[in-house]
Amino acid sequence: MKLYQGHKSRLSKNMLDLIKSMFEDAPVYVCILEGPEHRLQYANKIFRQLYGGRIFPAGTRAQEVLRLFRGSEKEVRDRTAVLDKVYNTGEAFIGNEFKTSFTSEVKNDSGEAYFNLICQPLETTSGEVYGLFITGYEVTEHLKARQEKAYSKKRLTIALEGADVGFWELNLKENSLDYTTKQCKAHFGFSPDEEFSLKDFYMAIHPEDRGYIKKNIRNSIIGSGEYKVEYRVLRSRTSVHWIMSRGQCLYDENDRPYRLIGITMDITKSKEAEKKLEKAVKIRDDFLAIASHELQTPIAGIRAHAELLQWQLEETDNEGYMEQIAKINKGISQLSELTRNLLDFSRIKEGEVQLQKDEFLLGQLINEKVETLDSVSQHELQVEGEKNVKVFADKIRIGQVLTNLIDNAIKYSPAAGKIIVRYTRTKDRTVISIIDFGIGVHAKEREKIFERFYKGGGRLKDTYPGFGIGLYTSLQIVKQHDGDLWVEDNSGEGSVFSFSLPNK
Ligand code: ADP
C-alpha cells in the first residue's frame, strides 16, 4: 500500500499487510484513517464499493472523500466532527442504526442508508492517538423491514379499531388466550385493563352456546383450520349480545396446530333486525295463507250460485240479465284467480317447496289447463307439441306454473285473438313456451317481473288486476325442479314466457 506523501504511516508495513489480508474480503466495512486530518490509510473492498468502487490514493483526507459522496456540506461537517471528537478525546464512537446520506452517484434510491458502526482511536504504546479504525455494516434493509412491520401493525390496528373489530390469539399449546385487543375485551364486557383469560371467555358465552363454541374450535383445529361462528355473550344477566367471530388455525412445520387467531364483531343490531324481519315475514305469510284460504270458500259459493242463476236465466232467454250475469261470472273468475295466486304464494316460500315428482304426459296436462281457461277466455288457445312427450315433475306444481303463464298471456293481450302453448323436448330438457301477441314486456323490466310483488307496465300498472306474485311463485317452482324460467320478445308483437324442465 502506498503511503500518502510527506506522512509516514505509524503502522508498520507488516502491520498494514496483516490488516489487509484479514479485512480485504470481510463482510464488514473497515477503514483506517491517520493523523488529525484523518487521512485515508486503508479501506477494504466493501468500503471502496460504498464509494462507487473508486480507489483513493493513500493519504487522501477523509473530508475530501466525504465531500464527493455525501449529500450536503452539513453532513460532511457533522461526520468530520465525529472523527475529530474520537481523535481528540480518544473515546470510541458507537453508532447504532446511524443514518448517513449519499449522493445519487453512490446510492440511487432514497440516498439514505443506515449503519451499525464503531469508530475507535488507534493509540501508540504511550497512549497518544494517531489514527482511527472504523468498522461497521449496513442495516438499511433490516431497519426498513422492521419499520414496515410496525407500519403494517399500525395500519391493522387503525382498521380494526375504526371498524370496532376485536382481535384475539389463542395459544393452543398452552390452551390460553395470549392476546386480545381492547375491542375484543369490550365485546365480552371487559374493560381494557382487565385480565381476560380463556376461562373468562367461556364464562361470558351464553351457557347454551358454550358447547357449540368448543365443538367449533375443535373442528377448526382438526378440520380445515377455518373458524366461523355466531354466538351470544352475556355481559350481565339481562344484556345479551350477539358476537360474530372468524378465525384461522396456524400450524407449525410439522403440521401441528399451535395458534388460533381471529376477530370478533358485535352483530347484535343486525341480529335483532333479522329477527324482526323474520317475525314480520311470518305474520305476513300466515295472514296471506289464512286470508286466501278463507276467501276461497265464499267465492266458490258465489260462483256456484251465479252459475245456477245463469243456467236458469238461459231457460227464460232474458238477454239483459244474461249480460249482467256474464259480467258477474267474469268478476268471480278474476277474484278466484287472485285468491288462488295468493294461496300458492303463501304455500311456496323460497326453497321450501315439497315436490311430489312423477312421470306424466305433458301434452295431457297442458290440454287440461287450456280447457279450463278456454271457457273463460275470448282467446283461441293453440297447443303445439308431440303427444307422447313425458316429463318427470310435480304435476300439480307444474299445472300451477302453466295456469299462471297462460292466465298472464290472456290478461296481457286483451286485443289479441290467440295464444300458443308450444312444448319441445331436446336431448337434456323439455321447454314449454307460452306465446302471446299482447302488450309485451319492456326490456328494462325483464329481470324485475320475476321479483315478488313486482307489477310491471308503468302507467298501465293498475289496468290489469294482480298482486305481482304469479311469476315469482312460478319461478320458485321451476327452480325447485332445477329448471329455468325466462321471457323473450315475440318479434315485437307480445312476449314469449318459457320454462324448462330437465329430462329424467
Ligand atoms: P301480476 O300479473 O299479478 O301483476 P305476475 O308476477 O304474474 O304478476 O307478473 C309480473 C308482471 O310481469 C306483470 O305485472 C306484468 O307487467 C308482467 N307480465 C307478466 N306476464 C306478462 C305477459 N304475458 N305480457 C306482458 N307482461 C307480462
Side-chain angles (χ1 to χ4, degrees):
M1 174 175 277
K2 266 173 88 193
L3 302 181
Y4 53 92
Q5 276 151 20
H7 295 266
K8 194 168 168 17
S9 172
R10 303 286 282 266
L11 293 164
S12 69
K13 183 171 182 315
N14 281 352
M15 191 58 169
L16 272 170
D17 284 348
L18 181 67
I19 290 172
K20 197 173 170 182
S21 67
M22 275 165 62
F23 294 114
E24 184 59 11
D25 294 315
V28 288
Y29 303 108
V30 174
C31 145
I32 295 171
L33 303 172
E34 275 192 33
E37 291 174 311
H38 318 304
R39 286 178 184 269
L40 188 68
Q41 196 53 248
Y42 171 65
N44 74 344
K45 198 198 271 170
I46 177 169
F47 209 121
R48 294 196 299 271
Q49 276 165 6
L50 194 62
Y51 290 102
R54 281 220 200 170
I55 298 179
F56 290 93
T60 309
R61 280 169 33 195
Q63 217 175 24
E64 285 167 41
V65 179
L66 288 170
R67 195 158 285 138
L68 260 176
F69 293 102
R70 289 289 150 83
S72 68
E73 196 52 38
K74 183 176 179 307
E75 177 104 12
V76 175
R77 265 201 317 275
D78 290 350
R79 297 295 164 262
T80 315
V82 171
L83 301 178
D84 286 344
K85 193 168 174 212
V86 178
Y87 192 89
N88 295 330
T89 61
E91 274 170 32
F93 170 83
I94 296 170
N96 271 327
E97 291 171 1
F98 190 67
K99 186 175 156 193
T100 313
S101 307
F102 288 92
T103 56
S104 58
E105 198 180 332
V106 187
K107 286 231 172 239
N108 51 15
D109 40 16
S110 70
E112 277 176 5
Y114 295 83
F115 294 88
N116 280 354
L117 60 88
I118 179 159
C119 175
Q120 281 174 304
L122 291 169
E123 293 171 358
T124 59
T125 40
S126 58
E128 183 202 344
V129 177
Y130 67 90
L132 303 171
F133 183 88
I134 304 168
T135 179
Y137 55 92
E138 192 174 344
V139 291
T140 314
E141 290 307 315
H142 174 78
L143 187 84
K144 282 192 177 153
R146 210 180 60 217
Q147 279 172 347
E148 186 48 43
K149 204 168 148 194
Y151 282 142
S152 304
K153 204 167 163 194
K154 189 87 199 142
R155 278 197 290 264
L156 185 67
T157 310
I158 291 170
L160 291 178
E161 281 183 10
D164 200 17
V165 175
F167 184 79
W168 50 265
E169 285 191 33
L170 177 62
N171 182 333
L172 298 173
K173 289 197 171 138
E174 314 262 316
N175 203 26
S176 62
L177 256 185
D178 266 10
Y179 177 72
T180 43
T181 59
K182 61 176 190 232
Q183 278 87 357
C184 179
K185 286 183 181 176
H187 290 155
F188 293 88
F190 282 70
S191 66
D193 330 307
E194 267 180 290
E195 280 261 334
F196 182 55
S197 66
L198 190 58
K199 194 169 163 224
D200 296 325
F201 162 75
Y202 279 122
M203 288 313 288
I205 294 175
H206 192 293
E208 285 172 20
D209 295 348
R210 269 179 218 152
Y212 155 79
I213 293 301
K214 282 189 179 155
K215 198 169 123 210
N216 264 279
I217 293 181
R218 215 172 26 244
N219 285 352
S220 102
I221 296 169
I222 55 173
S224 64
E226 205 187 346
Y227 174 69
K228 213 170 162 183
V229 285
E230 283 181 9
Y231 51 89
R232 287 162 294 172
V233 159
L234 290 170
R235 289 195 196 159
S236 69
R237 256 190 221 171
T238 48
S239 137
V240 177
H241 279 255
W242 274 94
I243 300 295
M244 184 274 289
S245 190
R246 301 264 183 281
Q248 185 64 46
C249 187
L250 305 181
Y251 301 86
D252 64 16
E253 59 283 1
N254 299 318
D255 263 354
R256 273 195 299 262
Y258 70 99
R259 242 175 166 67
L260 185 65
I261 61 171
I263 55 143
T264 51
M265 278 176 85
D266 191 323
I267 53 161
T268 313
K269 282 204 178 106
S270 64
K271 272 280 171 191
E272 278 167 1
E274 212 176 276
K275 266 202 197 131
K276 267 191 201 150
L277 190 68
E278 260 172 33
K279 209 169 149 191
V281 169
K282 183 159 180 346
I283 291 171
R284 186 203 64 193
D285 289 348
D286 287 352
F287 171 75
L288 279 181
I290 294 166
S292 49
H293 184 78
E294 290 299 314
L295 282 171
Q296 280 203 325
T297 321
I299 291 171
I302 297 170
R303 169 179 284 213
H305 286 294
E307 274 169 5
L308 188 64
L309 201 56
Q310 188 176 19
W311 179 66
Q312 284 169 350
L313 286 174
E314 265 165 12
E315 305 272 290
T316 59
D317 214 8
N318 189 324
E319 282 275 317
Y321 287 138
M322 283 297 287
E323 203 182 305
Q324 298 304 319
I325 202 80
K327 281 185 183 157
I328 292 174
N329 272 336
K330 194 166 170 235
I332 293 170
S333 292
Q334 274 180 2
L335 198 56
S336 151
E337 189 219 319
L338 290 175
T339 48
R340 185 187 52 75
N341 264 338
L342 265 185
L343 192 60
D344 287 348
F345 172 75
S346 67
R347 283 180 187 150
I348 293 160
K349 299 211 199 87
E350 252 166 303
E352 281 183 23
V353 190
Q354 288 291 325
L355 299 179
Q356 306 274 329
K357 283 193 189 176
D358 240 326
E359 197 168 49
F360 60 89
L361 283 167
L362 182 62
Q364 217 170 52
L365 177 69
I366 293 176
N367 282 330
E368 261 173 44
K369 295 295 159 193
V370 162
E371 268 164 36
T372 321
L373 292 166
D374 220 3
S375 57
V376 288
S377 158
Q378 317 289 329
H379 297 71
E380 183 201 338
L381 302 177
Q382 285 179 9
V383 182
E384 297 174 3
E386 295 266 336
K387 264 198 182 134
N388 55 359
V389 170
K390 281 185 179 168
V391 287
F392 182 70
D394 185 319
K395 196 172 174 183
I396 294 179
R397 302 285 183 208
I398 296 302
Q400 281 173 8
V401 176
L402 283 166
T403 310
N404 278 341
L405 298 181
I406 302 171
D407 259 345
N408 277 351
I410 295 171
K411 189 161 71 177
Y412 296 106
S413 66
K418 70 170 175 190
I419 284 156
I420 304 168
V421 184
R422 182 179 293 151
Y423 58 96
T424 42
R425 187 186 164 99
T426 60
K427 207 172 119 238
D428 39 44
R429 62 179 195 164
T430 304
V431 176
I432 303 106
S433 299
I434 289 84
I435 305 157
D436 71 51
F437 303 84
I439 61 168
V441 180
H442 199 282
K444 274 197 235 155
E445 292 193 307
R446 292 220 173 117
E447 299 280 320
K448 289 197 180 132
I449 54 172
F450 295 99
E451 289 169 13
R452 63 179 124 180
F453 306 124
Y454 186 85
K455 273 177 68 75
R459 279 183 299 117
L460 294 173
K461 197 180 268 170
D462 299 329
T463 319
Y464 304 96
F467 296 121
I469 50 181
L471 287 181
Y472 170 80
T473 311
S474 303
L475 181 65
Q476 301 311 312
I477 295 173
V478 173
K479 268 202 216 156
Q480 281 289 298
H481 282 82
D482 294 321
D484 217 346
L485 169 61
W486 68 97
V487 61
E488 286 158 308
D489 204 18
N490 183 15
S491 329
E493 260 203 281
S495 38
V496 182
F497 279 84
S498 305
F499 67 98
S500 64
L501 293 173
N503 293 339
K504 194 180 165 189

